Amino acid sequence: MNNRDIFVTSPLFPSLDEYKKVLDDIWERKYLTNNGFYHKELEKKLSAYLGVDYLSLFTNGTLPLIAAFQVLDLHRSLKKGETGEVITSAYSFVATTHAIWWNNLEPVFVDVEEETGNMDPEKIEAAITGRTVAIMPVHVYGNPCDVERIERIAEKHNLKVIYDAAHAFGVTINGRSVLEWGDVSSLSFHATKVYNTVEGGALICHSADLKKRIDNLRNFGFSGETAVDEAGINSKMDELRSAFGLLNLEQVDSAIENRKKIADYYREKLTGTKGLRFLKDKEGVRHNYAYFPVFIDEGVFGMTRDELFEKLKQNGIFARRYFYPSISEFAPYGNAKGAGRSNLPNTYKLSESVICLPIYAGLEISDAERVVKIIRWAK
Ligand SMILES: *Cc1c(COP(=O)(O)O)cnc(C)c1O
């Protein structure tokens, strides 16, 4: 059995020879950024792969989340001096809430379901006030939210829905992309994700007009050579990373297949170890196995989550506690509406009991076997 260090994830790399060929071509073309050949190709191929009509590439996965509020005019729908509220989840990566903050809007945290880690639709409805402008749910671990119920709530209260779909690359519900729900959805193509362009991201919308606006916004707000329509930003993806992403797209299906194999292995081998809980696959959903979270019931398991985390580390296995601490515990959001522990019992419970096991395209069953053995003999 090997003894190398195993990390929770490892990036998908294209073949070096293939990438060198592409680099030769980019050197030939002498075109590095600003909607070049590879950028256009990647938008086309990604849209086809994901089954969406309107996708705009970004330089990372945080900027499309920030841009989402602007293209939906949420900051403008308010009267002067009034701050809008956005109902969201604290059980996520901190960028979700940062996107609200950067728009001068106020995050309002509601609790998640213990079963899935996704926002509880009941709690969303209860948190709506006259100042609510949007709902920002997260498909946490790539596990789709209750999209239909969220849609009904949003329609009833005339609210926009911005999905943080950073984890949900390639996820479908009954054959339809999870990205079809909501007014917009945002993806991250960071190196640690299921699919990467080194750094990168995308915003998915549902009309040509909105895509045009997003495309202008990510390019300083230029709507023509001499016209700027709004205060845009620079968040364009360049040719080198677009080309890297095009090559990686060819292997993403086999990457997801291997992730599924590892997830099945963990479930099979760890079922029966008392005090552990895993997420279940949902009927009709094509999962991407972006993460393999395990929730530890320390009283039953006989060891705390952090003890297990250290034990794995001593054995060269670097698991991660996604998402600990919960966003509501970080300094900028400690006083946000709904941030208290009593309002977020499931968020805190999951956050304090979760450990994500290694899972990625190149992980071998023998690696997963090492992880399983340590967990089973941990106590
Ligand atoms: C990774 C991630 C982001 C941010 O994406 P970057 O590409 O790293 O900027 C946003 N939200 C969630 C839930 C994430 O996991």
Side-chain angles (χ1 to χ4, degrees):
M1 198 168 268
N2 68 65
N3 280 315
R4 65 186 175 89
D5 285 349
I6 300 175
F7 297 92
V8 76
T9 192
S10 173
L12 208 53
F13 273 89
S15 118
L16 187 55
D17 282 345
E18 295 281 316
Y19 194 55
K20 281 179 179 160
K21 274 188 228 149
V22 176
L23 290 179
D24 279 340
D25 187 52
I26 292 175
W27 261 239
E28 278 293 303
R29 290 173 187 270
K30 303 257 178 294
Y31 200 97
L32 283 174
T33 188
N34 286 7
N35 202 22
F37 172 79
Y38 286 100
H39 181 281
K40 285 190 204 131
E41 276 296 292
L42 184 59
E43 281 200 349
K44 217 172 9 180
K45 296 258 167 70
L46 268 176
S47 305
Y49 178 86
L50 296 168
V52 297
D53 292 327
Y54 303 104
L55 175 150
S56 302
L57 286 173
F58 277 73
T59 195
N60 62 48
T62 300
L63 285 161
L65 282 175
I66 294 175
F69 291 90
Q70 191 161 343
V71 296
L72 296 175
D73 286 321
L74 293 178
H75 58 313
R76 292 183 190 166
S77 60
L78 298 158
K79 292 189 207 83
K80 216 175 154 70
E82 208 177 53
T83 343
E85 293 178 347
V86 180
I87 298 173
T88 192
S89 169
Y91 193 65
S92 179
F93 181 61
V94 72
T96 311
T97 313
H98 283 344
I100 299 171
W101 189 95
W102 276 86
N103 278 282
N104 257 326
L105 295 164
E106 237 183 87
V108 175
F109 296 120
V110 300
D111 207 9
V112 295
E113 303 163 332
E114 186 177 0
E115 196 67 18
T116 63
N118 284 328
M119 268 164 82
D120 183 341
E122 297 290 336
K123 304 279 164 57
I124 296 175
E125 195 144 27
I128 295 171
T129 71
R131 291 203 291 135
T132 309
V133 294
I135 307 170
M136 189 180 200
V138 186
H139 300 297
V140 84
Y141 306 127
N143 206 10
C145 293
D146 191 340
V147 288
E148 276 165 10
R149 258 186 89 191
I150 292 173
E151 184 168 87
R152 286 198 297 274
I153 295 168
E155 272 172 10
K156 183 171 154 198
H157 298 273
N158 194 24
L159 298 172
K160 300 287 185 193
V161 180
I162 297 168
Y163 276 109
D164 183 342
H167 302 170
F169 188 91
V171 172
T172 63
I173 307 173
N174 298 323
R176 279 176 69 187
S177 170
V178 73
L179 306 169
E180 282 189 32
W181 279 272
D183 291 280
V184 292
S185 293
S186 176
L187 290 169
S188 165
F189 308 144
H190 184 261
T192 55
K193 310 279 158 104
V194 169
Y195 165 79
N196 84 83
T197 59
V198 186
E199 293 260 5
L203 194 59
I204 287 83
C205 67
H206 311 295
S207 78
D209 285 350
L210 194 55
K211 172 164 164 61
K212 186 94 203 74
R213 185 149 170 219
I214 294 166
D215 290 352
N216 294 347
L217 189 86
R218 73 175 171 196
N219 186 33
F220 311 99
F222 276 105
S223 59
E225 211 177 304
T226 54
V228 170
D229 288 353
E230 62 182 315
I233 193 142
N234 179 10
S235 46
K236 304 184 296 292
M237 185 182 282
D238 61 75
E239 290 291 274
L240 281 87
R241 286 191 280 151
S242 301
F244 190 98
L246 269 170
L247 293 174
N248 263 352
L249 194 55
E250 291 169 17
Q251 20 165 7
V252 73
D253 277 330
S254 71
I256 293 173
E257 247 169 66
N258 194 62
R259 285 172 173 274
K260 177 171 171 37
K261 199 171 84 183
I262 298 290
D264 287 344
Y265 181 84
Y266 282 144
R267 283 174 183 157
E268 186 197 323
K269 300 293 175 186
L270 292 173
T271 296
T273 303
K274 291 195 171 51
L276 304 182
R277 180 172 75 84
F278 331 112
L279 296 182
K280 293 191 196 81
D281 281 1
K282 273 191 192 165
E283 182 90 12
V285 171
R286 182 214 188 208
H287 287 274
N288 65 5
Y289 308 93
Y291 300 85
F292 194 85
V294 176
F295 302 95
I296 313 283
D297 180 343
E298 60 182 64
V300 179
F301 183 65
M303 201 176 199
T304 68
R305 183 272 309 267
D306 292 340
E307 283 165 356
L308 178 62
F309 177 76
E310 289 303 327
K311 176 102 192 176
L312 287 164
K313 203 193 275 184
Q314 285 157 18
N315 285 278
I317 291 159
F318 297 86
R320 295 296 297 266
R321 289 164 286 188
Y322 296 133
F323 291 95
Y324 170 79
S326 91
I327 300 175
S328 50
E329 292 181 272
F330 289 128
Y333 307 118
N335 293 319
K337 212 167 158 183
R341 182 177 280 267
S342 60
N343 186 54
L344 305 174
N346 292 335
T347 300
Y348 281 80
K349 186 172 176 189
L350 295 180
S351 173
E352 286 161 8
S353 65
V354 72
I355 188 161
C356 287
L357 303 184
I359 190 164
Y360 53 88
L363 194 76
E364 291 173 18
I365 290 290
S366 63
D367 300 321
E369 196 180 339
R370 266 179 65 195
V371 176
V372 162
K373 282 196 170 147
I374 294 160
I375 297 174
R376 285 172 55 168
W377 298 338
K379 293 160 277 177

